[in-house]
């Protein structure tokens, strides 16, 4: 990318941050280094055909002092996140950090090892397990625990065990209730749009370097290998529930609807160790992640942190999580968890206080300030979530997208509004001139707003594209939040080089195989092209022989509705019998000739339904119309 250096204004601001933030507080570095045993050398993991799926060494530039092109607080966070290797948390508990976006943890049991959160990819999980075994011996994997339903906590499961070992009962898989449903929904229902936006969020195609991607605050980036899923054999359902796995007693605390819809914490009495999943990490997390998701509940999140403090604080010597480094010592743990709790409570309560005085989300976010104790703690800084977009998320959770002003109830979309704004300001060249003045004065936010209109009026206007890219770049250089930086730089990249699409996918075959029939039908319904299907009136009875289940599907008014009822050929347009659920997936993907499908009635009815499906676009435009 043809990047530009930071402006004098941004450079001065970043130097001022270096002078005013408490960089003398090095406790995080001591904690991140504590228990180090050995690193993967080199810190690179490859997959099939030699494809590099993880390269921690590409962040070697972070060993230097913070440059003017990166907020020094973000630089510090990235320096902590690149620490890579096997670490002892306490005797019997080990973590491999720095081999993916998340951590993988190993709990030594009577006969083998329990794996917590096997990373994003098969390849990185296998490399982490090999590193553990190189230092701790060839222990067999006896169980896997998924802390929650995001892909960086289960996608690499085939790197530590196999479906055959799970089926044979040699390996247990534990997860919170609702795990599979939410894991599949998030990666399938809106997965195409989320994954495209995640390419911006994580800076997937950005060059690593002082003027490029330096991490994402929660870690460095997701790995790019094989994603898989093995269905849990044990669903953990209630707080206080205990399980003994390979001789290790585990006490669980449910925390649904927090950082993930299905999430849990758990405590190991014999190790006096508490795993907080992803609900207490060394940054402010997202209440609404910029890739897209359901808005999370900060009030409930804070409540579960209070419950964890009350339940485990007096008997915990170390707290560790699925990202970042542990915290040791009872007083430190209680302070850490309490500040994390206060962070989410304050965001929730103060946003509601102000919205009830008539302020809108964008207005509240503009003036919102955390109390001094929360500003002072490094682990409350917005490296991944931000105060700004989290406040807007709280507003959205309670009030929705509309701010109550009738002029904003029925606004033109950007493609229609932009030409009107441009005309009102005197034409494209005039808009660019005004934006250039704003840019030169350091008002990058206003310049970006003007240039957004310019590009949506004429995406090919060369001067607008160039200045817009330069503007986003300066906003990136000044951002403490890593994913804001990545969004800004990704937008600049596409303005300069064109649409880079979606370089990764999480809809792996093993993920799709876990879709229930209801989720398959939901997915079909989501993809019906309504206008093309308005005039269709179809009734299909679908039978799955392997499941012993019958469903009736109706397509009317462009709406696909399903019910689980017995087949009735007399009233159906067609009856379709699939030998297996997988055969329907294959049929929908285009395999119409293989055995395992039988029709009665109108044999073309299912094809008619599938013929009005729309295909998602993984490469839709974001920064341009």
């Amino acid at each position: 990318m043809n990047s530009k250096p930071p402006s004098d204004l941004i450079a001065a601001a970043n130097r001022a941050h270096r002078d005013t933030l408490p960089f003398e507080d090095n406790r995080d570095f001591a904690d991140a280094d504590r228990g180090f045993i050995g690193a993967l050398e080199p810190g690179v993991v490859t997959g099939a055909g030699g494809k590099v799926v993880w390269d921690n060494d590409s962040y070697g530039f972070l060993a230097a002092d913070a440059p003017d092109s990166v907020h020094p607080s973000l630089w510090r966070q990235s320096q902590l996140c690149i620490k890579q290797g096997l670490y002892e948390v306490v005797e019997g508990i080990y973590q491999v950090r720095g081999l993916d976006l998340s951590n993988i943890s190993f709990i030594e049991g009577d006969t083998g090892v329990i794996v917590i959160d096997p990373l994003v990819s098969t390849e990185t999980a296998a490399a982490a397990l090999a590193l553990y075994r190189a230092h701790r011996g060839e222990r067999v994997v006896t169980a896997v625990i998924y802390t929650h339903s995001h892909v960086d906590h289960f996608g690499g499961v085939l790197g530590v065990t196999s479906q055959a070992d799970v089926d044979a009962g040699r390996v247990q898989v534990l997860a919170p209730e609702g795990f599979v449903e939410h894991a599949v929904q998030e990666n399938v229902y809106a997965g195409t749009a989320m994954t495209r936006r995640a390419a911006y969020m994580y800076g997937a195609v950005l060059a690593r370097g002082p003027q490029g991607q330096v991490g994402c605050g929660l870690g460095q980036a997701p790995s790019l290998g094989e994603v898989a899923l093995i269905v849990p054999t044990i669903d953990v359902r209630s707080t206080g529930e205990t399980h003994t796995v390979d001789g290790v007693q585990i006490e669980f605390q449910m925390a649904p609807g927090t950082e993930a819809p299905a999430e849990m914490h758990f405590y190991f009495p014999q190790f006096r160790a508490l795993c907080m999943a992803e609900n207490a990490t060394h940054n402010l997390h997202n209440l609404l992640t910029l890739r897209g998701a359901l808005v999370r509940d900060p009030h409930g999140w804070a409540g579960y942190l209070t419950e964890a403090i009350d339940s485990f604080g007096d008997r915990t010597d170390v707290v560790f999580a699925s990202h970042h480094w542990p915290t040791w010592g009872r007083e430190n743990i209680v302070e850490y968890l309490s500040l994390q709790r206060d962070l989410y409570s304050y965001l929730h309560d103060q946003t509601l206080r102000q919205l009830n005085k008539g302020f809108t989300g964008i207005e509240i976010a503009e003036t919102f300030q955390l109390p001094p104790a929360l500003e002072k703690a490094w682990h409350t800084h917005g490296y991944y979530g931000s105060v700004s977009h989290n406040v807007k998320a709280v507003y959205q959770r309670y009030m929705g997208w509309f701010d109550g002003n009738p002029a904003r109830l029925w606004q033109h979309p950007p493609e229609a509004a932009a030409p009107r704004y441009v005309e009102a300001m005197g034409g494209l060249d005039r808009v660019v001139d005004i934006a250039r003045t704003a840019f030169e004065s350091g008002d990058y936010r206003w310049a970006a707003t003007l240039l957004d209109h310019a590009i949506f009026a004429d995406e090919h206007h060369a001067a607008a594209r160039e200045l817009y890219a330069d503007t986003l770049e300066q906003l990136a250089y000044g951002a403490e939040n890593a994913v804001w930086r990545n969004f800004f730089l990704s937008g600049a990249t596409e303005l300069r080089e064109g649409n880079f699409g979606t370089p990764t996918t999480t809809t792996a075959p093993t993920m799709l195989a876990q879709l229930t029939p209801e989720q398959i039908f939901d997915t079909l319904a989501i993809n019906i092209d309504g206008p093309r299907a308005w005039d269709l009136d179809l009734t299909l009875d679908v039978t799955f022989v392997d499941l012993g289940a019958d469903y009736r599907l109706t397509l009317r008014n462009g709406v696909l509705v399903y019910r689980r009822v017995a087949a009735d050929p007399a009233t159906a347009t067609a009856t379709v019998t699939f030998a297996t659920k997988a055969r329907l997936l294959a049929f929908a993907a285009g395999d119409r000739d293989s055995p395992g499908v039988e029709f009665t009635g109108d044999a073309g009815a299912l094809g008619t339904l599938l013929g009005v499906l729309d295909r998602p676009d993984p490469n839709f435009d974001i920064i341009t119309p």
Side-chain angles (χ1 to χ4, degrees):
M1 187 176 78
N2 185 26
S3 60
K4 309 287 179 64
S7 68
D8 291 343
L9 185 147
I10 292 295
N14 283 339
R15 287 195 294 270
H17 291 309
R18 286 200 292 271
D19 293 337
T20 56
L21 289 168
F23 286 98
E24 69 280 0
D25 179 0
N26 288 316
R27 287 175 295 175
D28 285 335
F29 286 90
D31 284 345
D33 288 333
R34 179 170 171 171
F36 175 73
I37 295 173
L40 181 69
E41 298 289 352
V44 178
V45 179
T46 57
K51 173 189 174 184
V52 174
V53 301
W54 179 256
D55 184 358
N56 202 63
D57 293 349
S58 66
Y59 293 100
F61 63 87
L62 287 164
D65 293 336
D68 289 341
S69 57
V70 184
H71 194 294
S73 177
L74 174 57
W75 189 265
R76 175 188 184 276
Q77 181 76 353
S78 294
Q79 287 181 319
L80 289 159
C81 289
I82 62 162
K83 292 179 179 292
Q84 180 261 113
L86 176 68
Y87 296 81
E88 183 179 79
V89 177
V90 294
E91 186 176 355
I93 298 181
Y94 299 84
Q95 282 190 315
V96 172
R97 305 198 286 271
L99 284 189
D100 213 318
L101 176 65
S102 49
N103 301 333
I104 183 172
S105 302
F106 301 96
I107 314 298
E108 293 180 354
D110 289 348
T111 64
V113 63
I114 303 163
V115 175
I116 302 174
D117 285 356
L119 306 180
V120 174
S121 303
T122 299
E123 297 88 343
T124 53
L129 179 60
L131 180 62
Y132 165 80
R133 285 172 169 167
H135 293 278
R136 297 295 302 164
E138 289 291 326
R139 290 176 167 83
V140 298
V141 172
T142 54
V144 176
I145 301 176
Y146 304 138
T147 60
H148 61 290
S149 53
H150 292 153
V151 70
D152 51 323
H153 304 275
F154 65 81
V157 64
L158 293 183
V160 298
T161 190
S162 66
Q163 186 68 60
D165 280 345
V166 173
D167 291 344
R170 291 186 287 270
V171 177
Q172 295 176 297
V173 181
L174 294 84
E177 183 179 20
F179 168 85
V180 173
E181 173 190 356
H182 292 297
V184 171
Q185 281 184 358
E186 179 156 313
N187 289 286
V188 177
Y189 284 15
T192 300
M194 286 184 183
T195 307
R196 168 69 170 128
R197 282 171 46 160
Y200 266 55
M201 179 172 173
Y202 294 112
V205 305
L206 299 177
R208 276 52 171 152
Q211 290 180 216
Q213 202 259 21
V214 299
C216 70
L218 195 65
Q220 292 308 95
S223 61
L224 302 175
E226 177 194 39
V227 173
L229 174 64
I230 293 178
V231 172
T233 58
I234 298 175
D235 290 330
V236 182
R237 300 179 184 276
S238 60
T239 293
E241 186 174 332
T242 62
H243 291 272
T244 299
V245 181
D246 194 15
V248 177
Q249 186 180 4
I250 311 172
E251 181 179 337
F252 291 90
Q253 179 202 2
M254 308 309 296
T258 52
E259 186 272 337
E263 191 148 353
M264 62 186 182
H265 313 146
F266 37 93
Y267 176 73
F268 299 95
Q270 75 190 70
F271 299 110
R272 294 180 60 86
L274 174 63
C275 176
M276 288 301 295
E278 202 167 317
N279 283 330
T281 53
H282 289 271
N283 55 208
L284 169 60
H285 214 295
N286 288 300
L287 298 180
L288 179 56
T289 176
L290 299 187
R291 64 175 167 79
L294 300 177
V295 179
R296 297 158 185 172
D297 178 9
H299 181 65
W301 193 327
Y304 288 119
L305 289 173
T306 296
E307 185 178 61
I309 294 167
D310 293 345
S311 299
F312 308 115
D314 286 339
R315 48 193 177 119
T316 298
D317 294 330
V318 63
V319 61
F320 65 99
S322 302
H323 296 271
H324 300 148
W325 49 96
T327 298
W328 288 267
R330 181 190 173 279
E331 289 186 6
N332 292 334
I333 290 166
V334 172
E335 178 191 33
Y336 166 63
L337 293 179
S338 297
L339 286 175
Q340 285 279 306
R341 182 267 320 280
D342 293 349
L343 179 61
Y344 298 109
S345 281
Y346 195 86
L347 286 164
H348 174 268
D349 296 348
Q350 296 305 309
T351 300
L352 281 171
R353 178 180 66 83
Q354 294 192 65
L355 74 81
N356 279 319
K357 296 177 74 172
F359 293 102
T360 65
I362 193 169
E363 290 169 336
I364 300 167
E366 197 66 17
T367 59
F368 199 98
Q369 188 170 3
L370 293 175
L374 295 181
E375 291 276 11
K376 181 180 178 182
W378 284 113
H379 65 83
T380 62
H381 280 233
Y383 304 117
Y384 192 54
S386 76
V387 168
S388 177
H389 73 251
N390 279 344
V391 164
K392 295 168 188 171
V394 176
Y395 186 92
Q396 178 180 324
R397 180 178 177 86
Y398 285 94
M399 303 299 290
W401 62 268
F402 178 45
D403 68 4
N405 185 322
R408 298 167 191 150
L409 181 59
W410 192 32
Q411 292 176 286
H412 288 294
E415 292 91 336
R420 290 169 167 82
Y421 278 111
V422 168
E423 181 182 5
M425 286 184 278
L428 269 170
D429 292 339
R430 176 61 179 153
V431 173
V432 174
D433 287 342
I434 299 171
R436 193 176 306 281
T437 299
F439 179 92
E440 291 171 353
S441 70
D443 193 353
Y444 303 119
R445 293 170 70 184
W446 177 232
T449 298
L450 291 167
L451 292 163
D452 178 32
H453 288 313
I455 290 300
F456 270 74
D458 180 3
E459 64 177 299
H460 302 295
H461 193 283
R465 288 183 80 101
E466 180 180 5
L467 183 58
Y468 195 8
D470 292 348
T471 299
L472 292 176
E473 196 167 55
Q474 295 303 319
L475 287 168
Y477 293 158
E480 183 181 33
N481 183 280
V483 296
W484 282 34
R485 177 184 176 94
N486 291 338
F487 258 88
F488 291 138
L489 290 178
S490 294
T493 298
E494 292 203 331
L495 287 166
R496 288 169 175 159
E497 301 176 8
N499 185 315
F500 53 63
T502 301
T504 61
T505 179
T506 56
T507 52
T510 57
M511 186 89 69
L512 295 175
Q514 303 313 322
L515 288 167
T516 64
E518 291 83 0
Q519 288 172 326
I520 294 173
F521 299 143
D522 279 341
T523 303
L524 294 177
I526 289 165
N527 288 286
I528 294 289
D529 185 333
R532 289 172 55 206
W534 283 345
D535 297 328
L536 293 179
D537 188 347
L538 299 175
T539 301
L540 286 86
D541 285 340
V542 178
T543 296
F544 297 102
V545 175
D546 60 333
L547 302 176
D550 298 327
Y551 294 84
R552 169 156 286 197
L553 277 61
T554 59
L555 178 61
R556 296 187 183 94
N557 301 315
V559 177
L560 181 67
V561 176
Y562 61 86
R563 300 179 179 87
R564 187 164 182 178
V565 296
D568 181 6
T571 59
T573 309
T575 299
V576 189
T577 301
F578 291 100
T580 65
K581 180 185 67 174
R583 186 64 190 91
L584 171 57
L585 290 171
F587 191 93
D591 179 2
R592 308 296 167 87
D593 300 321
S594 297
V597 186
E598 295 181 1
F599 293 92
T600 58
D602 182 356
L606 179 58
T608 299
L609 186 156
L610 297 177
V612 294
L613 294 181
D614 201 8
R615 290 189 173 275
D617 179 6
N619 302 319
F620 59 81
D621 291 317
I622 292 176
I623 196 72
T624 56

